[in-house]
Amino acid sequence: DTGVSQDPRHKITKRGQNVTFRCDPISEHNRLYWYRQTLGQGPEFLTYFQNEAQLEKSRLLSDRFSAERPKGSFSTLEIQRTEQGDSAMYLCASRLRREETQYFGPGTRLLVL
Amino acid sequence: KQEVTQIPAALSVPEGENLVLNCSFTDSAIYNLQWFRQDPGKGLTSLLLIQSSQREQTSGRLNASLDKSSGRSTLYIAASQPGDSATYLCAVSSLYDYKLSFGAGTTVTVRA
């Protein structure tokens, strides 16, 4: 296992469509984080999981957003009824509980037309 | 809410010059501070992590200092090279849940 992977790497969709992104963390990493990064800004925290439990959600995560981590392995982030303002890079990171460093995936770049 | 600021927003230097990147944060109750590198359109690569009890951390040509009481960190890159051209992001980790608060980054261009 060489690192955190995310799929797809790029997604173009029309406004109003639903999209789903997947993150596969480093094996045995029990903490998983989602961040969103818009152009020219640093990433902003969205939500995080400890194993399968979603422990915190940012107020940035509106009702149109939902995240899951079934069985504490991979995670999915779904955006329903996409809006142009959802266009951003969505980053996933994972870490071991006893370690401090978060390891980031390559991101999924979303463009909503 | 933790606010992280990075100055300058952009920096252009000739090859060989030393780089100094600044980061400030408003809440000193942090667990650690990390510096990341981000190449255009790519994810983040961790460069250095400084625990809140440490004053500095070094890796090769990189040195990062932390003054938690004043809410400041500085990243030094010695003898810059064109390959150092990237955006450098500073992030502080919450004391309670490790979630990261990021600055907007400093975009560095090293001219050959």
Side-chain angles (χ1 to χ4, degrees), chain A residues 5 10 13 15 27 29-30 45-46 56 58 76 90:
Chain A
S5 62
H10 303 274
T13 191
R15 188 175 52 187
S27 179
H29 279 199
N30 56 349
F45 168 80
L46 291 179
E56 186 174 346
S58 163
T76 59
Y90 291 84

Side-chain angles (χ1 to χ4, degrees), chain A residues 14-109:
Chain A
K14 294 182 179 178
R15 188 175 52 187
Q17 298 294 306
N18 298 344
V19 295
T20 300
F21 310 141
R22 176 178 171 129
C23 170
D24 285 89
I26 295 172
S27 179
E28 298 182 352
H29 279 199
N30 56 349
R31 303 289 177 100
L32 187 148
Y33 301 78
W34 284 99
Y35 295 86
R36 182 174 70 186
Q37 185 178 26
T38 54
L39 202 61
Q41 299 299 316
E44 294 177 288
F45 168 80
L46 291 179
T47 187
Y48 91 100
F49 293 83
Q50 178 177 310
N51 299 313
E52 67 275 10
Q54 187 174 18
L55 297 188
E56 186 174 346
K57 294 192 295 185
S58 163
R59 56 184 169 78
L60 294 175
L61 220 61
S62 74
D63 292 344
R64 297 185 297 106
F65 289 72
S66 63
E68 296 182 341
R69 193 182 182 197
K71 302 179 183 179
S73 56
F74 70 92
S75 177
T76 59
L77 178 67
E78 181 183 15
I79 309 175
Q80 296 182 329
R81 305 181 303 281
T82 53
E83 302 173 355
Q84 288 183 328
D86 297 331
S87 296
M89 172 83 90
Y90 291 84
L91 293 161
C92 174
S94 71
R95 71 173 184 91
L96 276 171
R97 181 181 180 185
R98 61 182 179 274
E99 291 188 2
E100 297 183 34
T101 301
Q102 289 188 25
Y103 297 88
F104 280 78
T108 294
R109 183 170 294 281

Side-chain angles (χ1 to χ4, degrees), chain A residues 9 31 33 35 37 40-43 45 48 56 59 89 91 95 97 99-102 104-107 109, chain B residues 1 31-32 34 36 38 41-44 46 49-51 89 93 96-105:
Chain A
R9 296 290 307 277
R31 303 289 177 100
Y33 301 78
Y35 295 86
Q37 185 178 26
Q41 299 299 316
F45 168 80
Y48 91 100
E56 186 174 346
R59 56 184 169 78
M89 172 83 90
L91 293 161
R95 71 173 184 91
R97 181 181 180 185
E99 291 188 2
E100 297 183 34
T101 301
Q102 289 188 25
F104 280 78
R109 183 170 294 281
Chain B
K1 179 191 172 188
Y31 197 80
N32 60 48
Q34 285 184 256
F36 292 88
Q38 186 173 34
K42 302 293 179 62
L44 280 62
S46 180
L49 182 149
I50 312 176
Q51 296 179 343
L89 294 158
S93 175
Y96 307 106
D97 53 25
Y98 292 84
K99 66 183 182 187
L100 297 176
S101 297
F102 285 85

Side-chain angles (χ1 to χ4, degrees), chain B:
Chain B
K1 179 191 172 188
Q2 179 74 267
E3 300 287 343
V4 182
T5 303
Q6 290 188 246
I7 295 173
L11 190 57
S12 179
V13 299
E15 183 176 3
E17 196 165 296
N18 296 334
L19 291 164
V20 180
L21 309 180
N22 297 299
C23 171
S24 61
F25 48 95
T26 55
D27 185 352
S28 62
I30 65 170
Y31 197 80
N32 60 48
L33 183 145
Q34 285 184 256
W35 283 94
F36 292 88
R37 169 183 172 139
Q38 186 173 34
D39 292 292
K42 302 293 179 62
L44 280 62
T45 301
S46 180
L47 298 174
L48 290 169
L49 182 149
I50 312 176
Q51 296 179 343
S52 61
S53 59
Q54 295 179 313
R55 298 284 292 184
E56 68 177 314
Q57 191 69 252
T58 297
S59 176
R61 294 184 294 110
L62 276 60
N63 174 275
S65 66
L66 173 64
D67 184 342
K68 197 176 75 163
S69 60
S70 67
R72 297 185 182 192
S73 177
T74 302
L75 177 66
Y76 301 90
I77 303 177
S80 61
Q81 304 168 358
D84 294 329
S85 298
T87 296
Y88 293 82
L89 294 158
C90 164
V92 294
S93 175
S94 163
L95 196 59
Y96 307 106
D97 53 25
Y98 292 84
K99 66 183 182 187
L100 297 176
S101 297
F102 285 85
T106 294
T107 299
V108 171
T109 302
V110 181
R111 308 186 303 272

